[in-house]
């Protein structure tokens, strides 16, 4: 079966397996602190993926996703600290709280698009942040909620890392299915031309709401994991900066791909936590990196690498009909989210076909 | 793609980035150059060597350190909103070790600074790094109360002592004490304002309006003032709570003006302090309504950027640069010489904390292997004379220290500083109240400012 795959697919499988092997071996290679940072990066990667589902696939940039993340986190924290619930209850209430928040937010945002969508979601994030500061009896205001302990079974950093890695992998798989489903196609249609979708008879308003809730579900999972990672939650988790970072991670890694946000998250989280120990002005370094990416690699790391790869392939093999030169040039320059390269190569051909089918 | 068209742009971009890096490396405003890590720079040196390839290097843990050296982790925000104060913390800390050649009790002391960025989650991660990777003996810092709470809780669970010279959250040494967490050379939010409320009453003020920053520190700081002022018989006619980081105070100030109080009590932090002091003068209220500031409103770090609008303003605090004692003036001069500015309370608290732990290390002959014994010694340290005055810890691990009523005056060299007009000695975090009765009441919050039912002042206190 492997033999039937294209060279691109083989390379992708190889890279994916290598990444998985590295992820599995990580706790044996580096110090517990680095393992803990890697877990944090994976969590933010999942968070960024949830933003990317809306932004990269649907063209809906949500700047308030930290509100959902923090709501789920506060759900866990409140259950743990004030109600003394079991971990199962904590997770259940956390994800439920996140889902309720995303349903409310989704209902608020579903009629808007473009800049209005950005403004509405931005306001939503600020509402959660404001509430987290105001509702001191629930959230502990600035002092936050302390003493949220991880479940005993994953209390050690390396165990927690494996748990996070597995959950993020599962969520990534689920997101892959979502993006490959007819609903995923719909999302891309939404990005490219909402009017055309409506003309074809789709209820784009409801589908946007649905997309928001799906995205909110994954953001909630990230929120629950984040709280268990730091064993603490405060309004800082609901700040605009967190939402903004989520978007940056997606853009840096490659928006419109699922592996991109994870790579972006690793870059930003490691810069924040490791680079800062050596370089006083690490935000400058990060800022310059970001500017460079926007200037020279608008599709992010993943998108750019795959662009170069396809360019190379085209030169080598003009007979490759799948990626023939007939591909509209406007894609590569106009939309940063052109390359829908997924970590799972098995579905790549379908993805390409369906995309061409759209047009 | 259109590679040819892009090439000039690419060159331009590379040039711009190179330029940015050069400028960044040279013109470091008060960061690298200002951080006098000379005596402590071993860790900086080896850290830089490891470069960014942290994944492999970090496995080796801390850079090479002599086995018997004492490793102290310092958490101070050098990026983010409170970076300037964080730099003051580092400067004060480093000054002490510079003066003492990085030695205490005949043992080498090494500092490992991590940037907490003023964010609880980042602070936690950095504390983990200090505790787990570097293996520090204890942590000093951080700055913000919420970061302090988060870090203290986590480190206490992991058995790493945390000394808090700056973070003030009341409950850390009141209702929710944590093992191994001490406010070495620190203070609680309401400690400096308890005596201030009584002092204000003694000045003849009867009707006061408060204008306090709307977050935990503002609530607690304000609560101390309101509690004692009303206990004496004063009346709080109104309380305003501008949100943290308020840009424009004019609406608040006109409301204060309309209430026509005998005086106003103000709690602000950071840049907003400069704004309200300026606005107060612009509204022409400086000569008509007395302005009573808390410690952070008129701290030296903010006076540096204030002009005559601050002259003569009254505030309370546990440090006053103009204190007439030799040890204070020696410190102020040494600090001025080293960094070219007058020390803030962030500097002096870290300096005194260094003095405190150095004393403790000397008392145990540099042997920190028995952590419990070391903590007992730290707790027992009584500093006869520090730049802030005499200091020792109470039974709840908070210092008993002097509180100064301060007035902003101009020095001979034209710079402003705080000069004590009254010193209240031996102030405990419980003021005159009985500690146990005090702790039966909730911590000061926006809803609970200590008015109404409240313990009678302890006559012996």
């Amino acid at each position: 079966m492997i033999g039937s795959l294209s060279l691109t697919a083989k390379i992708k499988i190889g890279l994916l397996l290598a990444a998985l092997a590295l992820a599995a071996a990580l706790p044996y290679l580096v110090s517990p602190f680095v393992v803990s940072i890697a877990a944090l990066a994976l969590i933010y990667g999942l968070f960024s993926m949830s933003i990317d589902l809306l932004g990269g696939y649907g063209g809906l940039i949500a700047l308030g996703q930290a509100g959902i993340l923090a709501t789920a986190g506060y759900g866990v924290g409140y259950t743990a600290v004030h109600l003394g619930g079991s971990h199962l209850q904590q997770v259940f209430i956390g994800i439920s709280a996140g889902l309720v928040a995303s349903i409310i937010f989704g209902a608020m945002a579903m009629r808007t698009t473009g800049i209005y969508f950005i403004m509405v979601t931005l306001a939503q994030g600020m509402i959660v942040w404001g509430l987290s500061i105001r509702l001191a009896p629930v959230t502990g205001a600035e002092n936050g909620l302390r003493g949220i302990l991880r479940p005993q079974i994953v209390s050690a950093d390396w165990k927690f890392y494996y748990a996070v890695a597995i959950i993020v992998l599962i969520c990534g798989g689920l997101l892959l299915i979502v993006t490959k489903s007819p609903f995923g196609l719909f999302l891309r249609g939404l990005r490219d031309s909402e009017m055309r979708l409506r003309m074809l008879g789709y209820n784009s308003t409801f589908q946007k709401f649905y997309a928001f809730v799906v995205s909110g579900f994954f953001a909630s999972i990230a929120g629950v994991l984040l709280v268990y990672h730091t064993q603490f939650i405060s309004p800082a988790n609901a700040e605009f900066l967190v939402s903004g970072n989520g978007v940056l991670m997606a853009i840096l890694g490659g928006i419109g791909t699922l592996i991109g946000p994870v790579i972006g998250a690793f870059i930003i989280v490691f810069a924040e936590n490791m680079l800062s120990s050596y370089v006083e002005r690490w935000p400058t370094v990060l800022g310059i990196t970001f500017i460079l990416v926007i200037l020279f690699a608008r599709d992010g790391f993943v998108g750019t690498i795959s662009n170069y790869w396809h360019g190379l392939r085209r030169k080598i093999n003009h007979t490759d009909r799948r990626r023939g030169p007939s591909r509209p040039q406007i894609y590569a320059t106009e939309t940063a989210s052109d390359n829908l390269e997924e970590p799972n190569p098995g579905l790549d051909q379908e993805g390409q076909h369906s995309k061409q089918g759209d047009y | 793609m259109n590679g040819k068209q892009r090439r000039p742009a690419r060159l331009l971009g590379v040039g711009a980035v190179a330029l940015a890096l050069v400028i960044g490396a040279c013109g470091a405003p008060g960061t690298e150059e200002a951080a006098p890590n000379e005596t402590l720079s071993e860790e900086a040196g080896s850290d830089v060597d490891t470069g960014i390839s942290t994944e492999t290097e970090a496995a080796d843990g801390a850079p090479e350190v002599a086995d018997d050296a004492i490793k102290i982790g310092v958490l101070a925000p050098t990026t983010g909103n409170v970076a300037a104060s964080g730099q003051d913390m580092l400067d004060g800390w480093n000054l002490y070790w510079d003066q003492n050649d990085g030695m205490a009790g005949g043992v080498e002391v090494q500092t490992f600074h991590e940037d907490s960025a003023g964010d609880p989650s980042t602070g936690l991660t950095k504390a983990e790094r200090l505790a787990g990777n570097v293996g520090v003996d204890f942590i000093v810092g951080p700055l913000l109360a919420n970061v302090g709470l988060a870090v203290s809780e986590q480190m206490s669970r992991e058995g790493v002592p945390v000394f808090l010279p700056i973070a003030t959250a009341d409950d850390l040494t009141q209702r929710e004490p944590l093992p191994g967490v001490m406010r070495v050379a620190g203070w609680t939010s309401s400690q400096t304002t308890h005596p201030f409320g009584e002092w204000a009453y003694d000045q003849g003020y009867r009707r006061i309006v408060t204008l306090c920053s709307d977050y935990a520190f503002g609530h607690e700081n304000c609560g101390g003032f309101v509690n004692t002022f009303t206990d004496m018989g004063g009346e709080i006619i109104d309380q305003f709570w501008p949100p943290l980081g308020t840009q424009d105070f004019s609406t608040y100030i006109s409301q204060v003006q309309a209430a026509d109080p005998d005086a106003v009590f103000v709690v602000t932090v950071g840049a907003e302090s400069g704004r309200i002091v300026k606005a107060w003068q612009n509204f022409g209220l400086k000569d008509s309504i007395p302005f009573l500031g808390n410690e952070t409103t008129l701290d030296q770090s903010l006076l540096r950027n204030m002009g005559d609008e601050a002259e003569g303003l009254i505030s309370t605090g546990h440090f006053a640069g103009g204190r007439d004692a030799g040890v204070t003036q020696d410190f102020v001069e040494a600090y001025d010489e080293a960094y070219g500015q007058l020390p803030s309370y962030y500097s002096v608290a870290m300096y005194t904390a260094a003095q405190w732990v150095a004393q403790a290390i000397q008392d145990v002959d540099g042997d920190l292997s028995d952590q419990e014994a070391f903590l007992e010694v730290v707790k027992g340290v009584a500093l006869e004379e520090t730049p802030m005055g005499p200091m020792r810890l109470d039974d709840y691990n908070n210092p008993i220290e002097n509180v100064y009523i301060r007035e902003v005056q101009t020095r001979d060299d034209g710079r402003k500083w705080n000069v004590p007009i009254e010193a209240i000695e031996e102030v405990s975090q419980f003021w005159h109240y009985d500690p146990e009765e005090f702790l039966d009441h909730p911590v000061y919050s926006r809803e609970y400012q200590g008015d109404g039912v409240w313990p009678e002042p302890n006559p012996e206190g």
Side-chain angles (χ1 to χ4, degrees):
Chain A
M1 186 193 157
I2 297 277
S4 69
L5 290 173
S6 69
L7 181 59
T8 312
K10 278 183 200 157
I11 289 177
K12 278 192 195 168
I13 288 190
L15 282 177
L16 186 71
L17 288 179
L20 282 178
L22 184 67
L26 196 69
Y28 298 96
L29 300 176
V30 296
S31 72
F33 174 72
V34 180
V35 172
S36 151
I37 297 296
L40 188 65
L42 283 172
I43 295 168
Y44 274 118
L46 176 60
F47 174 61
S48 184
M49 273 197 259
S50 84
I51 293 177
D52 192 35
L53 178 71
L54 285 176
Y57 290 88
L60 300 162
I61 302 289
L63 281 183
Q65 206 77 347
I68 296 169
L69 177 94
T71 307
Y74 275 117
V76 172
Y78 187 77
T79 316
V81 176
H82 291 301
L83 305 180
S86 69
H87 282 104
L88 205 62
Q89 288 166 325
Q90 291 170 22
V91 172
F92 179 75
I93 293 183
I95 293 184
S96 309
L99 272 180
V100 169
S102 44
I103 287 171
I104 297 171
F105 288 178
M108 284 162 74
M110 64 184 182
R111 289 184 180 282
T112 57
T113 184
I115 187 84
Y116 304 104
F117 184 86
I118 295 178
M119 295 319 289
V120 168
T121 51
L122 178 67
Q124 290 166 347
M126 297 311 286
I127 289 171
V128 173
W129 177 75
L131 284 177
S132 67
I133 285 180
R134 275 275 164 266
L135 290 178
V138 177
T139 63
E142 279 81 9
N143 294 344
L145 293 173
R146 289 166 289 138
I148 308 161
L149 296 178
R150 289 174 196 162
Q152 194 62 42
I153 193 167
V154 291
S155 61
D157 274 341
W158 65 272
K159 289 180 188 163
F160 185 71
Y161 164 79
Y162 279 127
V164 167
I166 291 168
I167 292 172
V168 171
L169 198 66
I170 293 172
C171 290
L174 289 175
L175 275 167
L176 186 68
I177 295 172
V178 169
T179 55
K180 294 297 177 193
S181 69
F183 174 67
L185 286 181
F186 164 81
L187 271 180
R188 282 183 237 166
L190 195 63
R191 182 190 70 205
D192 294 330
S193 173
E194 186 177 349
M195 194 177 287
R196 193 177 297 184
L197 276 181
R198 298 180 84 101
M199 227 165 62
L200 290 171
Y202 287 96
N203 182 349
S204 70
T205 306
F206 176 75
Q207 296 278 24
K208 250 192 262 181
F209 170 76
Y210 183 53
F212 205 101
V213 176
V214 171
S215 161
F217 173 70
F218 289 103
S220 304
I221 294 176
V224 170
L225 291 176
L226 184 65
V227 168
Y228 284 131
H229 183 267
T230 42
Q231 311 192 64
F232 173 78
I233 181 153
S234 76
N237 293 92
E239 272 178 4
F240 166 70
L241 198 69
V242 179
S243 308
N245 262 349
V247 177
L248 289 192
M249 286 164 187
I251 295 176
L252 201 59
I255 199 160
T257 70
L258 284 179
I259 195 73
V262 179
I263 291 172
F266 267 86
I267 294 171
I268 290 186
V269 169
F270 272 82
E272 192 170 346
N273 291 294
M274 307 291 294
L275 192 61
S276 59
S277 302
Y278 308 103
V279 186
E280 191 116 357
R281 259 183 265 87
W282 61 270
T284 315
V285 176
L286 204 58
I288 289 173
T289 313
F290 191 62
I291 291 172
L292 288 179
V293 167
I294 292 296
L295 281 179
F296 305 118
R298 290 185 58 187
D299 298 341
F301 283 100
V302 175
T304 306
I305 290 171
S306 84
N307 273 354
Y308 274 113
W309 170 248
H310 292 317
L312 201 66
R313 288 276 291 162
R314 268 202 296 277
K315 273 181 199 158
I316 294 171
N317 185 3
H318 281 282
T319 56
D320 187 349
R321 264 171 292 162
R322 276 200 307 117
R323 304 183 196 281
S326 63
R327 196 165 171 228
Q329 193 67 54
I330 193 166
Y331 262 166
T333 48
E334 287 295 300
T335 59
S337 43
D338 168 49
N339 279 276
L340 298 158
E341 300 301 330
E342 267 73 39
N344 187 334
L347 294 163
D348 181 49
Q349 296 188 348
E350 283 173 42
Q352 288 299 333
H353 282 312
S354 55
K355 188 153 91 182
Q356 289 187 344
D358 270 354
Y359 283 82
Chain B
M1 269 171 290
N2 45 354
K4 271 175 193 161
Q5 285 173 338
R6 279 189 178 185
R7 202 160 291 152
R10 201 166 298 187
L11 279 175
L12 200 70
V14 171
V17 170
L19 194 69
L21 285 175
V22 169
I23 293 170
C26 300
T31 49
E32 273 91 330
E33 279 106 325
N37 265 345
E38 275 85 19
T39 59
L40 318 162
S41 60
E42 245 148 304
E43 92 279 0
S46 49
D47 270 7
V48 169
D49 289 344
T50 60
I52 308 167
S53 60
T54 45
E55 295 220 4
T56 47
E57 286 300 327
D60 304 335
E64 312 84 69
V65 176
D67 282 343
D68 54 348
I70 290 167
K71 292 184 271 182
I72 305 177
V74 171
L75 270 179
T78 44
T79 57
N81 288 336
V82 286
S85 308
Q87 190 59 46
D88 272 14
M89 285 174 70
L90 278 184
D91 288 349
W93 176 262
N94 289 334
L95 180 65
Y96 179 85
W97 298 110
D98 282 355
Q99 288 175 346
N100 293 278
D101 302 320
M103 304 285 282
V107 185
E108 191 187 355
V109 173
Q110 295 213 323
T111 302
F112 296 83
H113 166 241
E114 283 288 345
D115 174 16
S116 55
D119 171 79
S121 306
T122 313
L124 273 176
T125 321
K126 296 304 177 65
E128 285 291 343
R129 178 178 159 83
L130 288 172
N133 241 35
V134 182
V136 296
D137 293 299
F138 54 86
I139 290 174
V140 182
L143 194 158
L144 294 177
N146 53 358
V147 185
L149 280 166
V151 168
S152 304
E153 169 116 10
Q154 184 89 345
M155 290 298 109
S156 177
R157 206 182 297 137
E158 293 180 14
V160 179
V162 178
F163 302 148
L164 302 160
I166 314 285
T168 56
D170 275 359
D171 267 353
L172 269 177
T173 52
Q174 291 183 3
R175 290 159 199 85
E176 299 166 14
L178 293 163
V181 176
M182 297 182 192
R183 248 193 265 272
V184 166
W187 59 307
T188 56
S189 311
S190 51
Q191 190 170 8
T192 55
T193 47
H194 279 143
F196 201 38
E198 294 196 5
W199 182 87
Y201 187 86
D202 289 342
Q203 303 309 301
Y205 306 136
R206 293 295 178 268
R207 304 168 71 247
I208 280 185
V209 168
T210 68
L211 188 67
C212 304
S213 204
D214 192 8
Y215 76 114
F217 171 73
H219 301 156
E220 294 175 3
N221 205 239
C222 214
F225 182 90
V226 172
N227 183 26
T228 54
F229 182 70
T230 52
D231 278 4
M232 297 287 286
E235 188 195 349
I236 299 294
I237 27 183
D238 217 338
Q239 293 199 278
F240 300 111
W241 303 101
L244 198 58
T246 297
Q247 295 289 328
D248 181 6
F249 280 97
S250 49
T251 53
Y252 295 102
I253 291 178
S254 47
Q255 289 185 78
V256 172
Q257 200 175 5
D260 189 29
D262 294 343
V264 61
F265 175 69
V266 176
V267 175
T268 50
V269 288
E272 56 186 34
S273 303
R275 290 183 208 123
I276 193 165
V277 168
K278 190 91 193 162
W280 195 252
Q281 190 191 36
N282 291 346
F283 269 70
L285 296 176
K286 201 180 156 196
D287 298 321
S288 53
I289 303 177
F291 182 101
L292 308 175
N294 81 321
E295 174 131 32
T296 52
T297 305
L298 291 166
D299 181 57
Q300 191 64 45
S301 55
L302 301 155
L303 283 182
R304 286 170 198 156
N305 300 318
M306 290 186 196
D308 284 338
E309 69 267 22
E311 181 80 25
L313 296 185
I314 303 290
S315 63
T316 181
H318 65 312
F319 171 65
R323 178 172 178 253
D324 204 13
V327 58
T328 307
Q329 290 318 307
D330 289 348
F331 166 71
V332 171
E333 263 167 47
Y335 191 91
D336 192 13
E337 197 171 309
Y339 309 109
Q341 54 191 9
L342 300 175
S344 64
Y345 109 75
Y346 305 101
S347 328
V348 76
M350 288 299 280
Y351 180 87
T352 311
Q355 194 181 342
W356 196 304
V357 297
Q359 178 71 48
I361 291 168
Q362 194 178 340
D363 289 352
V364 294
D365 296 323
D367 176 21
L368 267 58
S369 51
D370 185 350
Q371 195 189 72
E372 225 166 279
F374 174 67
L375 288 179
E376 275 309 308
V377 169
V378 173
K379 194 168 175 169
V381 167
L383 296 173
E384 292 300 320
E385 207 36 275
T386 76
M388 293 191 274
M391 271 194 173
R392 63 172 201 278
L393 289 182
D394 65 11
D395 294 340
Y396 300 82
N397 291 334
N398 189 70
I400 296 173
E401 60 202 351
N402 289 359
V403 168
Y404 305 98
I405 311 297
R406 320 174 297 182
E407 183 182 2
V408 177
Q409 294 181 2
T410 309
R411 283 158 51 103
D412 292 340
D413 59 12
R415 287 182 289 181
K416 305 260 182 277
W417 67 347
N418 281 306
V419 176
I421 52 174
E422 199 174 322
I424 301 144
E425 287 174 7
E426 301 243 321
V427 177
S428 127
Q429 58 178 333
F430 304 112
W431 187 221
H432 293 322
Y433 303 109
D434 176 65
E436 283 178 21
E437 265 186 80
F438 187 96
L439 294 182
D440 282 343
H441 291 75
V443 67
Y444 296 121
S445 62
R446 193 171 150 150
E447 287 73 34
Y448 182 74
Q449 291 279 295
D451 29 32
V453 207
W454 190 250
E456 287 296 307
N458 181 358
E460 289 149 45

